[in-house]
Every structure is written in C-alpha cells, then in structure tokens.
Amino acid sequence: TMKYDASNKTLADGWAEFKSKCNNNSLVMMPTLTGNLKSFAIANRLMMVNYNKKAESASAGNNATLITDVLNWLQPLSPVLGWEQNVDEKSFVSLVSKSGNLMVPCDWISNPTFMSANYTENQAGLATVTNPRFIKFGDKKHYASFFLSDGDNIQWMMNAFRNDTYYFNTDNQKVKMSFGLPVANLSMMAPYQFQRILSEQVPNNSLIEFGGGGYIYPDNFGETKDRSALLKSISEKVGNHMRQHRIKVLGLLCDNVVSEKSKEAYQAYISSNDQLIGIIAVQYAPYAGGNGEIMWFKNAKGIDIPVITTR
C-alpha cells in the first residue's frame, strides 16, 4: 500500500510539511537519492536536505536559501552529517560554518546508527605522545614536520585510512608523520574504530584533532549568530575530547590563516585547553597560504602557545 506519494515533492515541500516532526539537534545533508545516512536520519528523526537541486549537478541550481533557514532552525553546534558532490565544497561548508554548526564529512560511512550506539560508555584509548624531557633542544639540528590533512573525514577513518598507503606505511617511522583525526566526532560516531586507531599508533607518529569539532572555517564560524559565545563553547567541547584521549595538538582549516578573525578563534581554542601545546593552521586555498608563519598566543596559565601555518 502506498503510504505517501513523494514523487513530485521538493525539498521545500518536505521542509514545510515535516519540520515539526524532526529533531533540530542534527541534520543530514546528502545528494538526492543517496542512501547511506537515511537509516541514521530515520533513527534520530532528522531532517535530510540536498544542496544541489539535481544530483551531482551544480549547474541545475541549489537549495542554499532554504538550507540557510534550516541551519538557523538547528540548535547551535549541531552536526551536519554527509557531503555534497560535484560542487565547490566551500559553498555549502561556509553556510554551515557561518550558522555556528559543524559540517561532518561522512557520506560513505556504513552502519552509523549501530557504530555510534552507546558511545558515551565507550570512550577508552590514549594517544602516545613525546615526553619533552627527552628532546635534545641543544643538538643544533633543523627539523621538518609532515602533516597529513583531511583528518576531518569520518568515512576515510572507517574505510581506507588504516592501510599500507597511509596509517601503516612503513616509511612513517622514518618520516615521523603527523596524522589529522576527527577526534571529537569519531569518538562519538565510531568509538571502537577510534580506539583501534589509537591502539595501532606508531610511537614516532603524532595524532592531531583536525577540524576543531568538525569541518568549519574558524574565521567565519558563527558569524550570523553569537560568534564569541559559540567559539567559547565549541573550543571547550573540543578541549574536553582532546584531554580525554591525550591529544595535544589541534589542526584548523581557515579561509585566511592570518586574519584577525582566525586569530580570535586560535585564542579561543588555546584559552579553553591548558594541555594544548600547539595549533597547525591550514588555509583552504592554497593550503600553504600561511607560508610557515608562526604566531604566538598565551594560554590560561600564561604560557606561550604556537600557531604554525603550513608551507
């Protein structure tokens, strides 16, 4: 029996008709006809939106205006799960970031409802970190540090990250790679996988919280809301997750890594976490836009913490 005929319905129709029946503490953003997160949306009574009006076709127009209304309806700091295809990612990520919500790339994740179940009771695992007492500060050597980005991507951590090309590459022990991980989000969406990644860490490699709570641009985050309050809140939440798993370094992806608004965000994250020893700042385009510039900010204990841009 046909329960409902949706064959000629638009996103605007769905929003008008079902808004009152959905929870506003999260959102799914996926291309039309993509099914990976539909069971998760149903289980959690979430609105599901598509940015492109036609699947994988930016030229057919988009739902940006309507999605802005949906994002403003969400509680601040709500995760927006999924991704869009064949469109400049900044176009939809900026909408999410400006609204004070958190883009979480995970469109190809499998079984998210099952994987995230009871996550609050499954928060084990600590990262391996370097004891600074054993660093030879006077050895006169010059060091380069390599950082693998895209650590905000949940589905990568679930699928192709743990292989000989990336996490298990034998060259990592010589190169001493730093890997970005979605620490806060992965520990909630797939806590057992997160524990597994921590347990398999090569001692000479570093693990970094990348994204600051999701894929956001800290320099425009929350600009249509109470930005200062939202920065304080997200930085405190991320700081809690980092301390819980002994993650000492934060990676952030900014539109402009040296802007005053980016510096405001750096200070918020540093002030909220006295165990944070540094931030790696990557520019959206080009990635090396900061050209290695180092900026310094004081934490709550008065200690100078570096923000290092990639070069």
Short mmCIF file of all heavy atoms in Angstrom, two decimals, residues 63-109:
data_model
loop_
_atom_site.label_atom_id
_atom_site.label_comp_id
_atom_site.label_asym_id
_atom_site.label_seq_id
_atom_site.Cartn_x
_atom_site.Cartn_y
_atom_site.Cartn_z
N ASN A 63 19.80 24.67 -3.30
CA ASN A 63 18.83 24.98 -2.25
C ASN A 63 19.44 25.82 -1.13
O ASN A 63 19.01 25.72 0.02
CB ASN A 63 18.26 23.69 -1.66
CG ASN A 63 17.41 22.91 -2.66
OD1 ASN A 63 16.47 23.45 -3.24
ND2 ASN A 63 17.74 21.63 -2.85
N ALA A 64 20.43 26.64 -1.47
CA ALA A 64 21.19 27.36 -0.44
C ALA A 64 20.29 28.23 0.44
O ALA A 64 20.46 28.27 1.67
CB ALA A 64 22.27 28.22 -1.10
N THR A 65 19.33 28.93 -0.15
CA THR A 65 18.46 29.82 0.64
C THR A 65 17.62 29.04 1.64
O THR A 65 17.53 29.40 2.82
CB THR A 65 17.55 30.62 -0.30
OG1 THR A 65 18.35 31.40 -1.20
CG2 THR A 65 16.65 31.57 0.50
N LEU A 66 17.04 27.94 1.18
CA LEU A 66 16.23 27.11 2.07
C LEU A 66 17.09 26.46 3.15
O LEU A 66 16.71 26.41 4.32
CB LEU A 66 15.50 26.04 1.26
CG LEU A 66 14.64 25.05 2.05
CD1 LEU A 66 13.58 25.79 2.86
CD2 LEU A 66 14.00 24.04 1.11
N ILE A 67 18.27 25.98 2.76
CA ILE A 67 19.15 25.33 3.72
C ILE A 67 19.62 26.32 4.78
O ILE A 67 19.79 25.95 5.95
CB ILE A 67 20.34 24.67 2.99
CG1 ILE A 67 19.85 23.44 2.23
CG2 ILE A 67 21.46 24.29 3.97
CD1 ILE A 67 20.90 22.78 1.37
N THR A 68 19.78 27.58 4.41
CA THR A 68 20.13 28.60 5.40
C THR A 68 19.04 28.69 6.47
O THR A 68 19.33 28.81 7.66
CB THR A 68 20.33 29.96 4.72
OG1 THR A 68 21.40 29.87 3.78
CG2 THR A 68 20.65 31.04 5.74
N ASP A 69 17.78 28.62 6.05
CA ASP A 69 16.67 28.63 7.01
C ASP A 69 16.73 27.39 7.92
O ASP A 69 16.50 27.48 9.14
CB ASP A 69 15.32 28.66 6.28
CG ASP A 69 15.07 29.98 5.58
OD1 ASP A 69 15.71 30.99 5.96
OD2 ASP A 69 14.24 30.00 4.65
N VAL A 70 17.02 26.25 7.32
CA VAL A 70 17.10 25.01 8.10
C VAL A 70 18.24 25.09 9.11
O VAL A 70 18.09 24.72 10.28
CB VAL A 70 17.30 23.79 7.17
CG1 VAL A 70 17.44 22.51 7.98
CG2 VAL A 70 16.14 23.67 6.19
N LEU A 71 19.40 25.61 8.68
CA LEU A 71 20.56 25.74 9.57
C LEU A 71 20.26 26.68 10.73
O LEU A 71 20.71 26.45 11.86
CB LEU A 71 21.77 26.22 8.79
CG LEU A 71 22.36 25.23 7.77
CD1 LEU A 71 23.40 25.93 6.88
CD2 LEU A 71 22.98 24.03 8.47
N ASN A 72 19.51 27.74 10.47
CA ASN A 72 19.15 28.68 11.54
C ASN A 72 18.14 28.08 12.50
O ASN A 72 18.04 28.53 13.65
CB ASN A 72 18.60 29.96 10.93
CG ASN A 72 19.69 30.80 10.29
OD1 ASN A 72 20.85 30.76 10.70
ND2 ASN A 72 19.34 31.55 9.25
N TRP A 73 17.38 27.08 12.05
CA TRP A 73 16.42 26.37 12.90
C TRP A 73 17.13 25.40 13.84
O TRP A 73 16.63 25.09 14.93
CB TRP A 73 15.44 25.65 11.98
CG TRP A 73 14.59 24.58 12.58
CD1 TRP A 73 13.49 24.74 13.37
CD2 TRP A 73 14.74 23.16 12.40
NE1 TRP A 73 12.94 23.51 13.69
CE2 TRP A 73 13.70 22.53 13.11
CE3 TRP A 73 15.65 22.38 11.70
CZ2 TRP A 73 13.56 21.14 13.13
CZ3 TRP A 73 15.51 21.01 11.73
CH2 TRP A 73 14.48 20.40 12.44
N LEU A 74 18.31 24.92 13.45
CA LEU A 74 19.05 23.98 14.28
C LEU A 74 19.53 24.63 15.57
O LEU A 74 19.78 25.83 15.62
CB LEU A 74 20.27 23.45 13.54
CG LEU A 74 20.06 22.53 12.33
CD1 LEU A 74 21.41 22.21 11.69
CD2 LEU A 74 19.34 21.26 12.74
N GLN A 75 19.67 23.82 16.62
CA GLN A 75 20.37 24.28 17.81
C GLN A 75 21.83 24.56 17.41
O GLN A 75 22.41 23.83 16.62
CB GLN A 75 20.34 23.21 18.90
CG GLN A 75 18.97 22.81 19.37
CD GLN A 75 19.03 21.63 20.33
OE1 GLN A 75 20.02 21.41 21.00
NE2 GLN A 75 17.94 20.87 20.38
N PRO A 76 22.44 25.61 17.95
CA PRO A 76 23.84 25.89 17.62
C PRO A 76 24.75 24.71 17.96
O PRO A 76 24.48 23.95 18.90
CB PRO A 76 24.17 27.11 18.50
CG PRO A 76 22.86 27.76 18.75
CD PRO A 76 21.87 26.64 18.83
N LEU A 77 25.81 24.54 17.20
CA LEU A 77 26.80 23.47 17.33
C LEU A 77 26.22 22.10 16.98
O LEU A 77 26.72 21.07 17.41
CB LEU A 77 27.40 23.42 18.74
CG LEU A 77 28.02 24.72 19.29
CD1 LEU A 77 28.67 24.45 20.64
CD2 LEU A 77 29.03 25.29 18.32
N SER A 78 25.17 22.08 16.15
CA SER A 78 24.62 20.80 15.70
C SER A 78 25.48 20.23 14.57
O SER A 78 25.93 20.96 13.70
CB SER A 78 23.19 20.99 15.19
OG SER A 78 22.31 21.30 16.24
N PRO A 79 25.71 18.91 14.57
CA PRO A 79 26.44 18.29 13.46
C PRO A 79 25.58 18.21 12.21
O PRO A 79 24.40 17.82 12.29
CB PRO A 79 26.79 16.90 14.00
CG PRO A 79 25.76 16.61 15.03
CD PRO A 79 25.38 17.94 15.63
N VAL A 80 26.15 18.59 11.08
CA VAL A 80 25.50 18.44 9.77
C VAL A 80 26.26 17.31 9.06
O VAL A 80 27.38 17.50 8.60
CB VAL A 80 25.55 19.74 8.97
CG1 VAL A 80 24.89 19.54 7.60
CG2 VAL A 80 24.86 20.86 9.73
N LEU A 81 25.64 16.15 9.01
CA LEU A 81 26.33 14.93 8.56
C LEU A 81 26.14 14.70 7.07
O LEU A 81 25.03 14.86 6.54
CB LEU A 81 25.77 13.73 9.33
CG LEU A 81 25.74 13.86 10.86
CD1 LEU A 81 24.85 12.79 11.46
CD2 LEU A 81 27.13 13.78 11.43
N GLY A 82 27.23 14.31 6.39
CA GLY A 82 27.11 13.98 4.98
C GLY A 82 28.12 14.69 4.11
O GLY A 82 29.28 14.90 4.50
N TRP A 83 27.69 15.11 2.93
CA TRP A 83 28.55 15.82 1.97
C TRP A 83 27.73 16.08 0.73
O TRP A 83 26.62 15.58 0.58
CB TRP A 83 29.79 14.99 1.65
CG TRP A 83 30.94 15.78 1.04
CD1 TRP A 83 31.47 15.64 -0.21
CD2 TRP A 83 31.71 16.80 1.68
NE1 TRP A 83 32.52 16.51 -0.39
CE2 TRP A 83 32.68 17.24 0.76
CE3 TRP A 83 31.66 17.39 2.94
CZ2 TRP A 83 33.61 18.24 1.05
CZ3 TRP A 83 32.58 18.39 3.24
CH2 TRP A 83 33.53 18.80 2.30
N GLU A 84 28.26 16.90 -0.17
CA GLU A 84 27.66 17.09 -1.49
C GLU A 84 28.70 16.79 -2.57
O GLU A 84 29.90 16.83 -2.31
CB GLU A 84 27.13 18.52 -1.66
CG GLU A 84 25.63 18.64 -1.47
CD GLU A 84 24.80 17.96 -2.55
OE1 GLU A 84 25.38 17.42 -3.53
OE2 GLU A 84 23.56 17.94 -2.43
N GLN A 85 28.23 16.49 -3.77
CA GLN A 85 29.10 16.08 -4.86
C GLN A 85 29.07 17.09 -6.01
O GLN A 85 28.07 17.75 -6.25
CB GLN A 85 28.67 14.70 -5.39
CG GLN A 85 28.61 13.62 -4.33
CD GLN A 85 29.97 13.28 -3.75
OE1 GLN A 85 30.98 13.43 -4.40
NE2 GLN A 85 29.97 12.82 -2.49
N ASN A 86 30.21 17.18 -6.70
CA ASN A 86 30.32 17.99 -7.93
C ASN A 86 29.93 19.46 -7.72
O ASN A 86 29.25 20.06 -8.55
CB ASN A 86 29.47 17.39 -9.06
CG ASN A 86 30.06 16.08 -9.56
OD1 ASN A 86 31.05 15.59 -9.02
ND2 ASN A 86 29.47 15.51 -10.59
N VAL A 87 30.36 20.01 -6.60
CA VAL A 87 30.16 21.42 -6.33
C VAL A 87 31.29 21.86 -5.41
O VAL A 87 31.83 21.06 -4.63
CB VAL A 87 28.78 21.66 -5.66
CG1 VAL A 87 28.68 20.96 -4.31
CG2 VAL A 87 28.50 23.15 -5.51
N ASP A 88 31.69 23.11 -5.51
CA ASP A 88 32.75 23.63 -4.66
C ASP A 88 32.36 23.46 -3.19
O ASP A 88 31.32 23.97 -2.75
CB ASP A 88 32.98 25.11 -4.98
CG ASP A 88 33.96 25.77 -4.01
OD1 ASP A 88 34.90 25.09 -3.58
OD2 ASP A 88 33.77 26.96 -3.69
N GLU A 89 33.17 22.71 -2.44
CA GLU A 89 32.80 22.39 -1.05
C GLU A 89 32.63 23.64 -0.20
O GLU A 89 31.83 23.65 0.75
CB GLU A 89 33.85 21.47 -0.43
CG GLU A 89 35.22 22.07 -0.26
CD GLU A 89 36.26 21.03 0.16
OE1 GLU A 89 36.44 20.03 -0.54
OE2 GLU A 89 36.89 21.24 1.21
N LYS A 90 33.36 24.69 -0.50
CA LYS A 90 33.27 25.90 0.32
C LYS A 90 31.86 26.50 0.27
O LYS A 90 31.42 27.13 1.24
CB LYS A 90 34.31 26.93 -0.14
CG LYS A 90 34.42 28.13 0.76
CD LYS A 90 35.50 29.08 0.27
CE LYS A 90 35.55 30.34 1.11
NZ LYS A 90 36.56 31.30 0.60
N SER A 91 31.15 26.29 -0.83
CA SER A 91 29.82 26.89 -0.98
C SER A 91 28.86 26.40 0.09
O SER A 91 28.08 27.18 0.63
CB SER A 91 29.26 26.60 -2.38
OG SER A 91 29.15 25.19 -2.59
N PHE A 92 28.90 25.10 0.41
CA PHE A 92 27.97 24.60 1.43
C PHE A 92 28.61 24.52 2.81
O PHE A 92 27.93 24.70 3.82
CB PHE A 92 27.36 23.25 1.03
CG PHE A 92 28.33 22.12 0.83
CD1 PHE A 92 28.65 21.29 1.88
CD2 PHE A 92 28.89 21.88 -0.41
CE1 PHE A 92 29.54 20.23 1.70
CE2 PHE A 92 29.77 20.82 -0.61
CZ PHE A 92 30.09 19.99 0.45
N VAL A 93 29.92 24.31 2.88
CA VAL A 93 30.57 24.28 4.20
C VAL A 93 30.50 25.66 4.85
O VAL A 93 30.30 25.78 6.06
CB VAL A 93 32.04 23.80 4.08
CG1 VAL A 93 32.74 23.92 5.43
CG2 VAL A 93 32.10 22.36 3.59
N SER A 94 30.64 26.72 4.05
CA SER A 94 30.55 28.08 4.60
C SER A 94 29.17 28.35 5.19
O SER A 94 29.05 29.01 6.22
CB SER A 94 30.88 29.12 3.53
OG SER A 94 32.26 29.32 3.42
N LEU A 95 28.12 27.86 4.53
CA LEU A 95 26.77 28.04 5.07
C LEU A 95 26.67 27.42 6.46
O LEU A 95 26.13 28.03 7.39
CB LEU A 95 25.73 27.38 4.16
CG LEU A 95 25.43 28.02 2.81
CD1 LEU A 95 24.37 27.21 2.08
CD2 LEU A 95 24.97 29.46 2.98
N VAL A 96 27.20 26.21 6.59
CA VAL A 96 27.15 25.51 7.86
C VAL A 96 28.00 26.23 8.91
O VAL A 96 27.56 26.46 10.04
CB VAL A 96 27.65 24.05 7.69
CG1 VAL A 96 27.68 23.33 9.04
CG2 VAL A 96 26.76 23.29 6.71
N SER A 97 29.21 26.61 8.53
CA SER A 97 30.13 27.25 9.46
C SER A 97 29.59 28.60 9.95
O SER A 97 29.62 28.89 11.14
CB SER A 97 31.50 27.43 8.78
OG SER A 97 32.45 27.97 9.67
N LYS A 98 29.10 29.41 9.04
CA LYS A 98 28.59 30.73 9.42
C LYS A 98 27.40 30.62 10.36
O LYS A 98 27.20 31.50 11.22
CB LYS A 98 28.19 31.52 8.17
CG LYS A 98 29.36 31.99 7.31
CD LYS A 98 28.88 32.71 6.06
CE LYS A 98 30.05 33.18 5.21
NZ LYS A 98 29.59 33.85 3.96
N SER A 99 26.64 29.55 10.25
CA SER A 99 25.45 29.38 11.10
C SER A 99 25.81 28.87 12.49
O SER A 99 24.92 28.69 13.33
CB SER A 99 24.46 28.41 10.43
OG SER A 99 24.95 27.09 10.45
N GLY A 100 27.10 28.58 12.72
CA GLY A 100 27.51 28.09 14.03
C GLY A 100 27.27 26.61 14.22
O GLY A 100 27.18 26.13 15.35
N ASN A 101 27.16 25.88 13.09
CA ASN A 101 27.01 24.43 13.14
C ASN A 101 28.25 23.75 12.55
O ASN A 101 29.16 24.42 12.09
CB ASN A 101 25.72 24.03 12.42
CG ASN A 101 24.49 24.56 13.13
OD1 ASN A 101 24.22 24.22 14.28
ND2 ASN A 101 23.73 25.43 12.45
N LEU A 102 28.28 22.42 12.57
CA LEU A 102 29.51 21.68 12.30
C LEU A 102 29.33 20.71 11.15
O LEU A 102 28.59 19.73 11.26
CB LEU A 102 29.93 20.90 13.56
CG LEU A 102 29.94 21.70 14.86
CD1 LEU A 102 30.00 20.76 16.06
CD2 LEU A 102 31.11 22.67 14.88
N MET A 103 30.00 20.96 10.03
CA MET A 103 29.95 20.02 8.91
C MET A 103 30.78 18.79 9.28
O MET A 103 31.93 18.91 9.73
CB MET A 103 30.52 20.67 7.66
CG MET A 103 30.30 19.86 6.37
SD MET A 103 28.56 19.85 5.89
CE MET A 103 28.38 18.15 5.34
N VAL A 104 30.21 17.61 9.10
CA VAL A 104 30.90 16.35 9.41
C VAL A 104 30.90 15.49 8.15
O VAL A 104 29.89 14.87 7.82
CB VAL A 104 30.21 15.60 10.57
CG1 VAL A 104 30.97 14.31 10.88
CG2 VAL A 104 30.13 16.49 11.81
N PRO A 105 32.01 15.46 7.40
CA PRO A 105 32.06 14.66 6.16
C PRO A 105 31.95 13.18 6.46
O PRO A 105 32.82 12.59 7.11
CB PRO A 105 33.45 15.00 5.58
CG PRO A 105 33.85 16.28 6.24
CD PRO A 105 33.26 16.22 7.61
N CYS A 106 30.87 12.55 6.01
CA CYS A 106 30.70 11.12 6.28
C CYS A 106 29.65 10.52 5.35
O CYS A 106 28.84 9.69 5.78
CB CYS A 106 30.33 10.88 7.74
SG CYS A 106 28.82 11.70 8.27
N ASP A 107 29.65 10.90 4.06
CA ASP A 107 28.60 10.45 3.17
C ASP A 107 28.69 8.97 2.79
O ASP A 107 27.70 8.37 2.42
CB ASP A 107 28.53 11.31 1.90
CG ASP A 107 29.89 11.53 1.25
OD1 ASP A 107 30.90 11.55 1.96
OD2 ASP A 107 29.94 11.70 0.01
N TRP A 108 29.89 8.38 2.90
CA TRP A 108 30.01 6.97 2.54
C TRP A 108 30.21 6.07 3.77
O TRP A 108 30.60 4.92 3.64
CB TRP A 108 31.18 6.75 1.57
CG TRP A 108 31.04 7.53 0.31
CD1 TRP A 108 31.94 8.42 -0.20
CD2 TRP A 108 29.95 7.51 -0.61
NE1 TRP A 108 31.47 8.96 -1.38
CE2 TRP A 108 30.25 8.43 -1.66
CE3 TRP A 108 28.74 6.83 -0.66
CZ2 TRP A 108 29.39 8.66 -2.72
CZ3 TRP A 108 27.87 7.06 -1.72
CH2 TRP A 108 28.21 7.96 -2.74
N ILE A 109 29.93 6.55 4.94
CA ILE A 109 30.05 5.74 6.14
C ILE A 109 28.97 4.66 6.14
O ILE A 109 27.86 4.89 5.64
CB ILE A 109 29.96 6.61 7.41
CG1 ILE A 109 30.34 5.82 8.66
CG2 ILE A 109 28.58 7.22 7.56
CD1 ILE A 109 30.43 6.67 9.92
#
